[in-house]
Coordinates of all heavy atoms in Angstrom, one line a residue:
M1 N 5.7 -82.5 31.8 CA 6.1 -81.5 30.9 C 7.2 -80.6 31.4 O 7.1 -80.2 32.6 CB 4.9 -80.7 30.4 CG 5.2 -79.4 29.7 SD 3.9 -79.1 28.5 CE 5.0 -78.6 27.2
R2 N 8.1 -80.2 30.6 CA 9.1 -79.4 31.0 C 8.6 -77.9 31.2 O 7.6 -77.5 30.5 CB 10.2 -79.3 29.9 CG 10.9 -80.7 29.8 CD 11.9 -80.7 28.7 NE 12.5 -82.0 28.6 CZ 12.8 -82.6 27.5 NH1 12.6 -81.9 26.4 NH2 13.3 -83.7 27.5
E3 N 9.3 -77.2 32.1 CA 8.8 -75.8 32.4 C 8.8 -75.0 31.1 O 8.0 -74.1 30.9 CB 9.6 -75.3 33.5 CG 9.1 -73.9 34.0 CD 9.8 -73.4 35.2 OE1 10.1 -74.2 36.1 OE2 10.1 -72.2 35.2
H4 N 9.8 -75.1 30.3 CA 10.0 -74.2 29.2 C 10.0 -75.1 27.9 O 11.0 -75.6 27.5 CB 11.3 -73.4 29.3 CG 11.5 -72.4 28.2 ND1 10.8 -71.2 28.2 CD2 12.2 -72.4 27.1 CE1 11.2 -70.5 27.1 NE2 12.0 -71.2 26.5
P5 N 8.9 -75.2 27.2 CA 8.8 -76.0 26.0 C 9.6 -75.4 24.9 O 9.8 -74.2 24.8 CB 7.3 -76.1 25.7 CG 6.7 -74.9 26.4 CD 7.6 -74.6 27.6
F6 N 10.1 -76.3 24.0 CA 10.8 -75.8 22.8 C 10.0 -74.9 21.9 O 10.4 -73.9 21.5 CB 11.4 -77.0 22.1 CG 12.4 -76.6 21.0 CD1 13.6 -76.0 21.3 CD2 12.0 -76.8 19.7 CE1 14.5 -75.6 20.3 CE2 12.9 -76.5 18.7 CZ 14.1 -75.9 19.0
F7 N 8.7 -75.4 21.7 CA 7.9 -74.5 20.9 C 6.4 -74.6 21.4 O 6.1 -75.5 22.2 CB 7.9 -74.9 19.4 CG 7.4 -76.3 19.0 CD1 6.1 -76.5 18.8 CD2 8.3 -77.3 18.8 CE1 5.6 -77.8 18.4 CE2 7.9 -78.5 18.5 CZ 6.6 -78.8 18.2
S8 N 5.7 -73.6 21.1 CA 4.3 -73.4 21.5 C 3.4 -73.5 20.3 O 3.8 -72.8 19.2 CB 4.0 -72.1 22.2 OG 4.7 -72.1 23.4
V9 N 2.4 -74.2 20.3 CA 1.4 -74.3 19.2 C 0.2 -73.6 19.6 O -0.5 -74.0 20.6 CB 1.1 -75.8 18.8 CG1 0.1 -75.8 17.6 CG2 2.4 -76.6 18.5
T10 N -0.1 -72.5 19.0 CA -1.3 -71.7 19.3 C -2.4 -72.2 18.3 O -2.2 -72.1 17.1 CB -1.1 -70.2 19.2 OG1 -0.1 -69.8 20.1 CG2 -2.3 -69.4 19.4
V11 N -3.5 -72.7 18.9 CA -4.6 -73.2 18.1 C -5.8 -72.3 18.3 O -6.3 -72.1 19.4 CB -5.0 -74.6 18.5 CG1 -6.2 -75.1 17.7 CG2 -3.8 -75.6 18.4
L12 N -6.2 -71.7 17.2 CA -7.4 -70.8 17.2 C -8.6 -71.8 17.2 O -8.9 -72.4 16.2 CB -7.5 -69.9 16.0 CG -6.4 -68.8 16.0 CD1 -6.6 -67.9 14.8 CD2 -6.4 -68.0 17.3
A13 N -9.3 -71.8 18.4 CA -10.4 -72.7 18.6 C -11.7 -72.0 18.8 O -12.3 -72.0 19.8 CB -10.1 -73.6 19.8
Y14 N -12.2 -71.4 17.7 CA -13.5 -70.7 17.8 C -14.5 -71.4 16.8 O -14.3 -71.4 15.6 CB -13.3 -69.3 17.4 CG -14.6 -68.5 17.5 CD1 -15.3 -68.3 18.8 CD2 -15.2 -67.9 16.4 CE1 -16.5 -67.6 18.8 CE2 -16.4 -67.2 16.5 CZ -17.0 -67.1 17.7 OH -18.2 -66.4 17.8
Q15 N -15.5 -72.0 17.4 CA -16.6 -72.6 16.6 C -16.1 -73.6 15.6 O -16.4 -73.6 14.4 CB -17.4 -71.5 15.8 CG -18.0 -70.4 16.6 CD -19.1 -70.8 17.5 OE1 -18.8 -71.3 18.6 NE2 -20.3 -70.6 17.1
V16 N -15.2 -74.5 16.1 CA -14.6 -75.6 15.3 C -14.8 -77.0 15.9 O -14.0 -77.9 15.6 CB -13.1 -75.3 15.1 CG1 -12.8 -74.1 14.2 CG2 -12.4 -75.2 16.4
A17 N -15.9 -77.2 16.6 CA -16.2 -78.5 17.2 C -16.1 -79.6 16.3 O -15.5 -80.6 16.7 CB -17.6 -78.4 17.9
P18 N -16.6 -79.6 15.0 CA -16.5 -80.8 14.2 C -15.1 -81.2 13.8 O -14.9 -82.3 13.3 CB -17.3 -80.4 12.9 CG -18.1 -79.2 13.3 CD -17.4 -78.5 14.4
Y19 N -14.1 -80.2 13.9 CA -12.8 -80.5 13.4 C -11.7 -80.5 14.5 O -10.6 -80.9 14.2 CB -12.4 -79.3 12.4 CG -13.5 -79.0 11.5 CD1 -14.3 -77.9 11.7 CD2 -13.7 -79.8 10.4 CE1 -15.3 -77.5 10.8 CE2 -14.8 -79.5 9.5 CZ -15.6 -78.4 9.7 OH -16.5 -78.1 8.8
L20 N -12.0 -80.0 15.7 CA -10.9 -79.7 16.7 C -10.2 -81.0 17.1 O -9.0 -81.0 17.3 CB -11.5 -79.0 17.8 CG -10.5 -78.5 18.9 CD1 -9.4 -77.6 18.2 CD2 -11.2 -77.8 20.0
E21 N -10.9 -82.1 17.3 CA -10.3 -83.3 17.8 C -9.2 -83.8 16.8 O -8.2 -84.2 17.1 CB -11.3 -84.4 18.1 CG -12.1 -84.0 19.4 CD -13.0 -85.1 19.8 OE1 -12.6 -86.4 19.6 OE2 -14.0 -84.9 20.4
K22 N -9.6 -83.8 15.5 CA -8.7 -84.2 14.4 C -7.4 -83.3 14.5 O -6.3 -83.7 14.3 CB -9.3 -84.2 13.1 CG -8.4 -84.6 12.0 CD -9.1 -84.8 10.6 CE -8.1 -85.3 9.6 NZ -8.8 -85.5 8.3
C23 N -7.6 -82.0 14.6 CA -6.5 -81.0 14.7 C -5.6 -81.4 15.9 O -4.4 -81.5 15.7 CB -7.1 -79.6 14.8 SG -5.8 -78.4 15.2
L24 N -6.2 -81.5 17.1 CA -5.4 -81.8 18.3 C -4.7 -83.2 18.2 O -3.5 -83.3 18.6 CB -6.3 -81.7 19.5 CG -6.8 -80.3 19.8 CD1 -7.8 -80.3 21.0 CD2 -5.7 -79.3 20.0
D25 N -5.4 -84.1 17.7 CA -4.8 -85.5 17.6 C -3.6 -85.4 16.6 O -2.6 -86.1 16.9 CB -5.8 -86.5 17.1 CG -6.8 -86.8 18.2 OD1 -6.6 -86.6 19.4 OD2 -7.9 -87.3 17.8
S26 N -3.7 -84.6 15.6 CA -2.6 -84.5 14.6 C -1.4 -83.9 15.2 O -0.2 -84.2 14.9 CB -3.0 -83.8 13.3 OG -3.1 -82.4 13.5
I27 N -1.6 -83.0 16.1 CA -0.5 -82.3 16.8 C 0.2 -83.2 17.8 O 1.4 -83.4 17.9 CB -0.9 -81.0 17.5 CG1 -1.4 -79.9 16.5 CG2 0.3 -80.4 18.3 CD1 -2.2 -78.8 17.1
L28 N -0.7 -83.9 18.6 CA -0.2 -84.8 19.6 C 0.5 -86.0 19.0 O 1.4 -86.6 19.7 CB -1.4 -85.2 20.5 CG -1.9 -84.2 21.4 CD1 -3.3 -84.6 21.9 CD2 -1.0 -83.8 22.5
A29 N 0.3 -86.3 17.8 CA 0.9 -87.5 17.1 C 2.3 -87.2 16.6 O 3.0 -88.1 16.1 CB 0.0 -88.0 15.9
Q30 N 2.7 -86.0 16.7 CA 4.1 -85.7 16.2 C 5.2 -86.4 17.0 O 5.0 -86.6 18.2 CB 4.3 -84.2 16.2 CG 3.3 -83.4 15.3 CD 3.4 -83.8 13.9 OE1 4.3 -83.8 13.2 NE2 2.2 -84.2 13.4
S31 N 6.3 -86.7 16.4 CA 7.3 -87.4 17.1 C 8.1 -86.6 18.1 O 8.5 -87.1 19.1 CB 8.3 -88.1 16.1 OG 8.9 -87.1 15.3
F32 N 8.2 -85.3 17.8 CA 8.9 -84.4 18.7 C 7.9 -84.0 19.8 O 6.7 -83.6 19.5 CB 9.4 -83.2 18.0 CG 10.2 -82.3 18.8 CD1 11.6 -82.5 19.0 CD2 9.7 -81.1 19.5 CE1 12.3 -81.7 19.8 CE2 10.4 -80.3 20.2 CZ 11.8 -80.5 20.4
Q33 N 8.2 -84.1 21.1 CA 7.2 -84.0 22.1 C 7.4 -82.8 23.1 O 6.7 -82.6 24.0 CB 7.1 -85.3 23.0 CG 6.5 -86.4 22.1 CD 5.0 -86.2 21.8 OE1 4.2 -85.9 22.6 NE2 4.8 -86.3 20.5
N34 N 8.5 -82.0 22.9 CA 8.8 -80.9 23.9 C 8.1 -79.6 23.4 O 8.6 -78.7 22.9 CB 10.3 -80.7 24.0 CG 10.6 -79.6 25.0 OD1 9.7 -79.2 25.8 ND2 11.8 -79.2 25.1
F35 N 6.7 -79.7 23.5 CA 5.9 -78.5 23.1 C 4.7 -78.4 24.0 O 4.4 -79.3 24.8 CB 5.5 -78.7 21.7 CG 4.6 -79.9 21.4 CD1 3.2 -79.8 21.6 CD2 5.1 -81.1 20.9 CE1 2.4 -80.9 21.3 CE2 4.3 -82.2 20.7 CZ 3.0 -82.1 20.8
E36 N 4.1 -77.2 23.9 CA 2.8 -77.0 24.6 C 1.8 -76.6 23.5 O 2.2 -76.1 22.4 CB 2.9 -75.9 25.6 CG 3.0 -74.5 25.0 CD 2.9 -73.4 26.0 OE1 2.5 -73.6 27.1 OE2 3.3 -72.2 25.6
I37 N 0.6 -76.9 23.8 CA -0.5 -76.5 22.9 C -1.4 -75.5 23.7 O -1.8 -75.8 24.8 CB -1.4 -77.7 22.5 CG1 -0.6 -78.7 21.7 CG2 -2.6 -77.2 21.7 CD1 -1.3 -80.0 21.4
L38 N -1.6 -74.3 23.1 CA -2.4 -73.3 23.7 C -3.7 -73.1 22.9 O -3.6 -72.7 21.7 CB -1.7 -72.0 23.9 CG -2.4 -70.9 24.6 CD1 -2.7 -71.3 26.1 CD2 -1.5 -69.7 24.6
L39 N -4.8 -73.6 23.4 CA -6.1 -73.4 22.7 C -6.7 -72.1 23.1 O -7.0 -71.8 24.2 CB -7.0 -74.5 23.2 CG -6.5 -76.0 23.0 CD1 -7.5 -76.9 23.6 CD2 -6.4 -76.2 21.5
V40 N -6.8 -71.2 22.0 CA -7.4 -69.9 22.2 C -8.9 -70.0 21.8 O -9.2 -70.2 20.7 CB -6.6 -68.8 21.3 CG1 -7.2 -67.5 21.6 CG2 -5.2 -68.8 21.7
N41 N -9.7 -69.9 22.9 CA -11.1 -70.2 22.7 C -11.9 -68.9 23.2 O -12.1 -68.7 24.3 CB -11.6 -71.4 23.5 CG -13.1 -71.6 23.3 OD1 -13.7 -71.0 22.5 ND2 -13.6 -72.6 24.0
P42 N -12.3 -68.1 22.2 CA -13.2 -66.9 22.6 C -14.6 -67.3 22.8 O -15.5 -66.8 22.1 CB -13.0 -66.0 21.4 CG -12.5 -66.8 20.3 CD -12.0 -68.1 20.8
Y43 N -14.8 -68.2 23.7 CA -16.2 -68.5 24.2 C -17.1 -69.0 23.1 O -18.1 -68.5 22.8 CB -16.9 -67.3 24.9 CG -16.1 -67.0 26.2 CD1 -15.3 -65.8 26.1 CD2 -16.1 -67.7 27.3 CE1 -14.5 -65.5 27.3 CE2 -15.4 -67.3 28.4 CZ -14.6 -66.2 28.4 OH -13.9 -65.9 29.5
S44 N -16.6 -70.1 22.5 CA -17.4 -70.7 21.4 C -18.7 -71.3 22.0 O -18.8 -71.7 23.1 CB -16.6 -71.9 20.8 OG -15.5 -71.5 20.2
S45 N -19.8 -71.3 21.2 CA -21.1 -71.8 21.6 C -21.5 -73.1 20.9 O -22.6 -73.5 21.1 CB -22.1 -70.7 21.3 OG -22.2 -70.5 19.9
D46 N -20.5 -73.7 20.2 CA -20.9 -74.9 19.5 C -20.4 -76.2 20.0 O -20.4 -77.3 19.4 CB -20.4 -74.8 18.0 CG -18.9 -74.9 17.9 OD1 -18.2 -74.6 18.9 OD2 -18.4 -75.1 16.8
G47 N -19.8 -76.2 21.3 CA -19.3 -77.4 21.8 C -17.8 -77.4 21.8 O -17.1 -78.3 22.4
T48 N -17.1 -76.4 21.2 CA -15.7 -76.3 21.1 C -15.1 -76.3 22.5 O -14.1 -77.0 22.8 CB -15.2 -75.1 20.3 OG1 -15.7 -75.3 19.0 CG2 -13.7 -75.0 20.3
D49 N -15.7 -75.5 23.4 CA -15.1 -75.4 24.8 C -15.1 -76.7 25.5 O -14.1 -77.0 26.2 CB -16.0 -74.4 25.6 CG -15.4 -74.1 26.9 OD1 -14.2 -73.7 26.9 OD2 -16.0 -74.3 28.0
A50 N -16.1 -77.6 25.3 CA -16.1 -78.9 26.0 C -14.9 -79.8 25.5 O -14.3 -80.5 26.2 CB -17.4 -79.6 25.8
I51 N -14.7 -79.7 24.2 CA -13.5 -80.4 23.6 C -12.2 -79.9 24.2 O -11.3 -80.6 24.5 CB -13.6 -80.4 22.1 CG1 -14.9 -81.1 21.5 CG2 -12.3 -81.0 21.5 CD1 -15.2 -80.8 20.1
C52 N -12.1 -78.6 24.2 CA -10.9 -78.0 24.8 C -10.7 -78.5 26.2 O -9.5 -78.8 26.5 CB -11.0 -76.4 24.8 SG -11.0 -75.7 23.1
R53 N -11.7 -78.4 27.0 CA -11.5 -78.8 28.4 C -11.2 -80.3 28.5 O -10.3 -80.7 29.3 CB -12.8 -78.6 29.2 CG -13.0 -77.1 29.5 CD -14.1 -76.9 30.6 NE -15.3 -77.7 30.3 CZ -16.4 -77.2 29.7 NH1 -16.4 -76.0 29.2 NH2 -17.4 -78.0 29.5
K54 N -11.8 -81.1 27.7 CA -11.5 -82.6 27.7 C -10.0 -82.9 27.4 O -9.4 -83.6 28.1 CB -12.4 -83.3 26.6 CG -12.2 -84.8 26.5 CD -13.1 -85.5 25.6 CE -12.5 -85.4 24.2 NZ -13.3 -86.2 23.2
Y55 N -9.5 -82.2 26.4 CA -8.1 -82.4 26.0 C -7.2 -81.8 27.1 O -6.1 -82.4 27.4 CB -7.8 -81.8 24.6 CG -8.1 -82.9 23.5 CD1 -9.4 -83.1 23.1 CD2 -7.1 -83.5 22.9 CE1 -9.7 -84.0 22.1 CE2 -7.4 -84.5 21.9 CZ -8.6 -84.7 21.5 OH -8.9 -85.6 20.5
A56 N -7.5 -80.6 27.6 CA -6.6 -80.0 28.6 C -6.6 -80.9 29.9 O -5.6 -81.0 30.5 CB -7.1 -78.6 28.9
D57 N -7.7 -81.5 30.2 CA -7.7 -82.4 31.4 C -6.9 -83.7 31.2 O -6.4 -84.2 32.1 CB -9.2 -82.8 31.7 CG -10.0 -81.7 32.3 OD1 -9.4 -80.6 32.7 OD2 -11.2 -81.8 32.3
K58 N -6.9 -84.1 29.9 CA -6.2 -85.4 29.6 C -4.7 -85.2 29.4 O -3.9 -86.1 29.7 CB -6.9 -86.0 28.4 CG -6.3 -87.4 28.0 CD -7.1 -88.0 26.9 CE -6.5 -89.4 26.6 NZ -7.3 -90.0 25.5
Y59 N -4.3 -84.1 28.8 CA -2.9 -83.9 28.4 C -2.3 -82.6 29.1 O -2.8 -81.5 29.0 CB -2.8 -83.6 26.9 CG -3.2 -84.8 26.1 CD1 -4.5 -84.8 25.5 CD2 -2.4 -85.9 25.9 CE1 -5.0 -85.9 24.8 CE2 -2.8 -87.0 25.1 CZ -4.1 -87.0 24.6 OH -4.5 -88.1 23.9
C60 N -1.3 -82.9 29.9 CA -0.6 -81.8 30.6 C 0.0 -80.7 29.8 O 0.3 -79.6 30.2 CB 0.3 -82.3 31.7 SG 1.8 -83.1 30.9
C61 N 0.3 -81.0 28.5 CA 0.9 -80.1 27.6 C -0.1 -79.1 27.0 O 0.2 -78.2 26.2 CB 1.6 -80.8 26.5 SG 0.6 -81.7 25.4
I62 N -1.4 -79.2 27.3 CA -2.4 -78.4 26.7 C -3.0 -77.5 27.7 O -3.4 -77.9 28.9 CB -3.6 -79.3 26.1 CG1 -3.0 -80.1 25.0 CG2 -4.7 -78.4 25.6 CD1 -4.0 -81.0 24.3
R63 N -3.1 -76.2 27.4 CA -3.8 -75.2 28.1 C -4.9 -74.5 27.3 O -4.8 -74.5 26.1 CB -2.8 -74.1 28.6 CG -1.7 -74.6 29.5 CD -0.8 -73.5 30.1 NE 0.0 -72.8 29.0 CZ 0.1 -71.5 28.8 NH1 -0.4 -70.7 29.7 NH2 0.9 -71.1 27.9
V64 N -5.9 -74.0 28.0 CA -7.0 -73.3 27.3 C -6.9 -71.8 27.8 O -6.9 -71.5 29.0 CB -8.3 -73.9 27.6 CG1 -9.4 -73.2 26.9 CG2 -8.4 -75.4 27.3
L65 N -7.0 -70.9 26.8 CA -7.1 -69.5 27.1 C -8.4 -69.0 26.6 O -8.8 -69.0 25.4 CB -5.9 -68.8 26.3 CG -5.9 -67.3 26.4 CD1 -5.7 -66.8 27.8 CD2 -4.9 -66.7 25.4
H66 N -9.3 -68.6 27.6 CA -10.5 -68.0 27.3 C -10.4 -66.6 27.2 O -9.9 -65.9 28.1 CB -11.6 -68.4 28.3 CG -11.9 -69.8 28.3 ND1 -11.5 -70.7 29.2 CD2 -12.7 -70.5 27.5 CE1 -11.9 -71.9 29.0 NE2 -12.7 -71.8 27.9
I67 N -10.8 -66.0 26.0 CA -10.7 -64.5 25.8 C -12.0 -64.1 25.1 O -12.8 -64.9 24.6 CB -9.5 -64.2 24.9 CG1 -9.6 -64.9 23.6 CG2 -8.2 -64.5 25.6 CD1 -8.6 -64.4 22.6
Q68 N -12.2 -62.8 25.2 CA -13.2 -62.2 24.4 C -12.8 -62.2 22.9 O -11.7 -61.9 22.6 CB -13.5 -60.7 24.9 CG -14.6 -60.0 24.2 CD -14.8 -58.7 24.7 OE1 -14.0 -58.1 25.4 NE2 -16.0 -58.1 24.4
N69 N -13.8 -62.5 22.1 CA -13.5 -62.6 20.6 C -13.2 -61.2 20.1 O -14.1 -60.3 20.1 CB -14.6 -63.2 19.9 CG -14.2 -63.6 18.5 OD1 -13.1 -63.4 18.0 ND2 -15.2 -64.0 17.7
R70 N -11.9 -61.0 19.6 CA -11.5 -59.7 19.1 C -11.1 -59.8 17.6 O -10.4 -59.0 17.1 CB -10.4 -59.1 19.9 CG -10.8 -58.8 21.3 CD -9.7 -58.3 22.2 NE -8.7 -59.3 22.2 CZ -7.5 -59.2 22.8 NH1 -7.2 -58.0 23.4 NH2 -6.6 -60.1 22.9
G71 N -11.4 -60.9 17.0 CA -11.0 -61.2 15.6 C -9.8 -62.1 15.6 O -9.0 -62.2 16.5
Q72 N -9.6 -62.7 14.4 CA -8.6 -63.7 14.3 C -7.2 -63.2 14.6 O -6.5 -63.9 15.4 CB -8.6 -64.2 12.8 CG -8.0 -65.6 12.7 CD -8.2 -66.2 11.3 OE1 -8.0 -65.5 10.3 NE2 -8.6 -67.4 11.3
L73 N -6.8 -62.1 14.1 CA -5.4 -61.6 14.4 C -5.2 -61.3 15.9 O -4.2 -61.8 16.4 CB -5.1 -60.3 13.6 CG -3.7 -59.7 13.8 CD1 -2.6 -60.7 13.4 CD2 -3.6 -58.4 13.0
L74 N -6.1 -60.6 16.5 CA -5.9 -60.3 17.9 C -6.0 -61.5 18.8 O -5.4 -61.6 19.8 CB -6.9 -59.2 18.3 CG -6.6 -57.8 17.7 CD1 -7.7 -56.8 18.1 CD2 -5.3 -57.3 18.0
N75 N -6.9 -62.5 18.4 CA -7.0 -63.7 19.2 C -5.6 -64.4 19.1 O -5.2 -65.0 20.1 CB -8.1 -64.6 18.6 CG -9.5 -64.0 18.9 OD1 -9.6 -63.0 19.7 ND2 -10.5 -64.6 18.3
R76 N -5.0 -64.5 17.9 CA -3.8 -65.2 17.7 C -2.7 -64.4 18.5 O -1.8 -65.1 19.2 CB -3.4 -65.2 16.2 CG -2.3 -66.2 15.9 CD -2.1 -66.2 14.4 NE -3.2 -66.4 13.5 CZ -3.7 -67.6 13.2 NH1 -3.2 -68.7 13.6 NH2 -4.7 -67.7 12.3
I77 N -2.7 -63.1 18.5 CA -1.6 -62.4 19.3 C -1.8 -62.7 20.8 O -0.8 -62.9 21.5 CB -1.8 -60.9 19.0 CG1 -1.3 -60.6 17.6 CG2 -1.0 -60.1 20.0 CD1 -1.5 -59.2 17.1
A78 N -3.0 -62.8 21.3 CA -3.3 -63.1 22.7 C -2.7 -64.5 23.0 O -2.1 -64.7 24.1 CB -4.8 -63.1 23.0
G79 N -2.8 -65.4 22.1 CA -2.2 -66.7 22.3 C -0.7 -66.7 22.3 O 0.0 -67.3 23.1
F80 N -0.1 -65.9 21.4 CA 1.4 -65.7 21.4 C 1.8 -65.1 22.7 O 2.9 -65.5 23.3 CB 1.8 -64.8 20.3 CG 1.7 -65.4 18.9 CD1 1.7 -64.6 17.8 CD2 1.5 -66.8 18.7 CE1 1.5 -65.2 16.5 CE2 1.4 -67.4 17.5 CZ 1.4 -66.5 16.4
Q81 N 1.1 -64.1 23.3 CA 1.5 -63.5 24.5 C 1.5 -64.5 25.7 O 2.3 -64.3 26.6 CB 0.6 -62.3 24.8 CG 0.8 -61.2 23.9 CD -0.2 -60.0 24.0 OE1 -1.3 -60.2 24.4 NE2 0.2 -58.9 23.6
E82 N 0.7 -65.5 25.7 CA 0.6 -66.5 26.8 C 1.5 -67.6 26.5 O 1.7 -68.5 27.4 CB -0.9 -67.0 26.9 CG -1.8 -66.0 27.4 CD -1.5 -65.5 28.8 OE1 -1.2 -66.4 29.6 OE2 -1.6 -64.3 29.1
S83 N 2.1 -67.7 25.4 CA 2.9 -68.9 25.0 C 4.2 -68.9 25.8 O 4.8 -67.8 26.1 CB 3.2 -68.9 23.5 OG 2.1 -69.0 22.8
R84 N 4.7 -70.1 26.2 CA 5.9 -70.2 26.9 C 7.1 -70.7 26.1 O 8.2 -70.8 26.6 CB 5.7 -71.2 28.1 CG 4.7 -70.7 29.1 CD 4.6 -71.7 30.2 NE 3.3 -71.7 30.8 CZ 2.7 -72.8 31.3 NH1 3.3 -73.9 31.4 NH2 1.5 -72.7 31.8
G85 N 6.8 -71.2 24.9 CA 7.9 -71.8 24.1 C 8.9 -70.8 23.5 O 8.6 -69.6 23.4
T86 N 10.0 -71.4 23.1 CA 11.1 -70.6 22.5 C 10.6 -70.2 21.1 O 10.9 -69.0 20.6 CB 12.4 -71.4 22.4 OG1 12.8 -71.8 23.7 CG2 13.5 -70.6 21.7
Y87 N 9.9 -71.0 20.4 CA 9.4 -70.8 19.1 C 7.9 -70.9 19.1 O 7.3 -71.6 19.9 CB 10.0 -71.8 18.0 CG 11.5 -71.7 17.9 CD1 12.3 -72.5 18.6 CD2 12.1 -70.7 17.2 CE1 13.7 -72.4 18.6 CE2 13.5 -70.5 17.1 CZ 14.2 -71.4 17.8 OH 15.6 -71.3 17.7
L88 N 7.3 -70.2 18.2 CA 5.8 -70.1 18.1 C 5.3 -70.7 16.8 O 5.9 -70.4 15.7 CB 5.3 -68.7 18.2 CG 5.7 -67.9 19.5 CD1 5.3 -66.5 19.4 CD2 5.2 -68.6 20.7
L89 N 4.3 -71.6 16.9 CA 3.7 -72.1 15.7 C 2.2 -71.8 15.9 O 1.7 -71.7 17.0 CB 3.9 -73.6 15.6 CG 5.4 -74.1 15.5 CD1 5.4 -75.6 15.6 CD2 6.0 -73.6 14.2
T90 N 1.5 -71.8 14.8 CA 0.0 -71.6 14.9 C -0.7 -72.5 13.9 O -0.1 -72.8 12.8 CB -0.3 -70.1 14.6 OG1 -1.7 -69.9 14.9 CG2 0.1 -69.6 13.2
I91 N -1.9 -72.8 14.2 CA -2.8 -73.6 13.4 C -4.2 -73.2 13.7 O -4.5 -72.9 14.9 CB -2.5 -75.1 13.5 CG1 -3.2 -75.9 12.5 CG2 -2.8 -75.5 15.0 CD1 -2.9 -77.4 12.5
D92 N -5.0 -73.2 12.7 CA -6.4 -73.0 13.0 C -7.1 -74.3 13.4 O -6.6 -75.4 12.9 CB -7.1 -72.5 11.7 CG -6.7 -71.1 11.3 OD1 -6.3 -70.4 12.2 OD2 -6.8 -70.8 10.1
G93 N -8.1 -74.3 14.2 CA -8.7 -75.5 14.8 C -9.4 -76.3 13.8 O -9.7 -77.5 14.1
D94 N -9.6 -75.9 12.5 CA -10.2 -76.7 11.5 C -9.1 -77.2 10.5 O -9.5 -77.7 9.4 CB -11.3 -76.0 10.8 CG -10.8 -74.7 10.1 OD1 -9.7 -74.3 10.3 OD2 -11.7 -74.1 9.4
D95 N -7.9 -77.2 10.9 CA -6.8 -77.7 10.1 C -6.1 -78.8 10.8 O -6.3 -79.0 12.0 CB -5.8 -76.6 9.7 CG -6.3 -75.5 8.8 OD1 -7.2 -75.9 8.0 OD2 -5.9 -74.4 8.9
W96 N -5.2 -79.5 10.2 CA -4.4 -80.6 10.9 C -3.1 -80.8 10.2 O -2.9 -80.4 9.1 CB -5.2 -81.9 10.9 CG -5.5 -82.5 9.6 CD1 -4.7 -83.3 8.9 CD2 -6.6 -82.2 8.7 NE1 -5.3 -83.6 7.6 CE2 -6.5 -82.9 7.6 CE3 -7.8 -81.4 8.9 CZ2 -7.4 -82.9 6.6 CZ3 -8.7 -81.3 7.9 CH2 -8.5 -82.1 6.7
W97 N -2.2 -81.4 10.9 CA -0.9 -81.7 10.4 C -0.8 -83.2 10.0 O -1.4 -84.0 10.6 CB 0.2 -81.5 11.5 CG 0.4 -80.0 11.8 CD1 0.0 -79.0 11.2 CD2 1.1 -79.5 13.0 NE1 0.4 -77.8 11.8 CE2 1.0 -78.2 12.9 CE3 1.7 -80.1 14.1 CZ2 1.6 -77.3 13.9 CZ3 2.2 -79.3 15.1 CH2 2.2 -77.9 15.0
E98 N 0.0 -83.4 8.9 CA 0.2 -84.8 8.5 C 1.2 -85.4 9.3 O 2.1 -84.8 9.9 CB 0.6 -84.8 7.1 CG -0.5 -84.4 6.1 CD -1.6 -85.3 6.0 OE1 -1.4 -86.5 6.1 OE2 -2.7 -84.8 5.8

């Protein structure tokens, strides 16, 4: 992965275990590949963390940010602050891209 990705995708990954793999697979399937994925996980208790770790171990473009849950907006801002991309995109962990 390049040191400075063109864009960062911040994924809010809190209690979304049933949906997260579909979300991540949809991002990884995009034709443009100069990006990073930042999974913002405020210590989910439903198995989301295991999925985050599995994907981060498999794909070098994925990082996991563990934070205290401060609500959707502040969690998203924390992800933006850790992002390295020139542009920022966001998606909830229970959504996906076509």
Side-chain angles (χ1 to χ4, degrees):
M1 165 146 219
R2 296 178 181 141
E3 186 174 318
H4 187 74
F6 187 67
F7 63 88
S8 297
V9 182
T10 299
V11 180
L12 294 182
Y14 181 65
Q15 305 292 85
V16 291
Y19 316 101
L20 186 57
E21 289 188 30
K22 183 175 182 177
C23 173
L24 294 174
D25 290 342
S26 76
I27 297 168
L28 292 165
Q30 299 302 307
S31 59
F32 187 83
Q33 293 295 306
N34 184 10
F35 61 86
E36 71 170 347
I37 299 172
L38 186 59
L39 300 172
V40 180
N41 181 4
Y43 299 102
S44 295
S45 61
D46 69 340
T48 295
D49 188 55
I51 296 168
C52 290
R53 285 194 316 265
K54 177 177 90 172
Y55 274 77
D57 288 345
K58 186 173 181 179
Y59 298 98
C60 64
C61 65
I62 298 179
R63 295 185 294 136
V64 181
L65 175 63
H66 290 103
I67 60 170
Q68 184 177 14
N69 190 4
R70 297 178 297 177
Q72 200 172 48
L73 177 60
L74 293 177
N75 292 349
R76 198 177 307 274
I77 290 170
F80 290 161
Q81 290 172 334
E82 291 294 319
S83 297
R84 298 183 208 149
T86 302
Y87 297 97
L88 303 175
L89 302 172
T90 188
I91 187 170
D92 292 335
D94 59 354
D95 294 328
W96 61 91
W97 292 343
E98 292 292 327

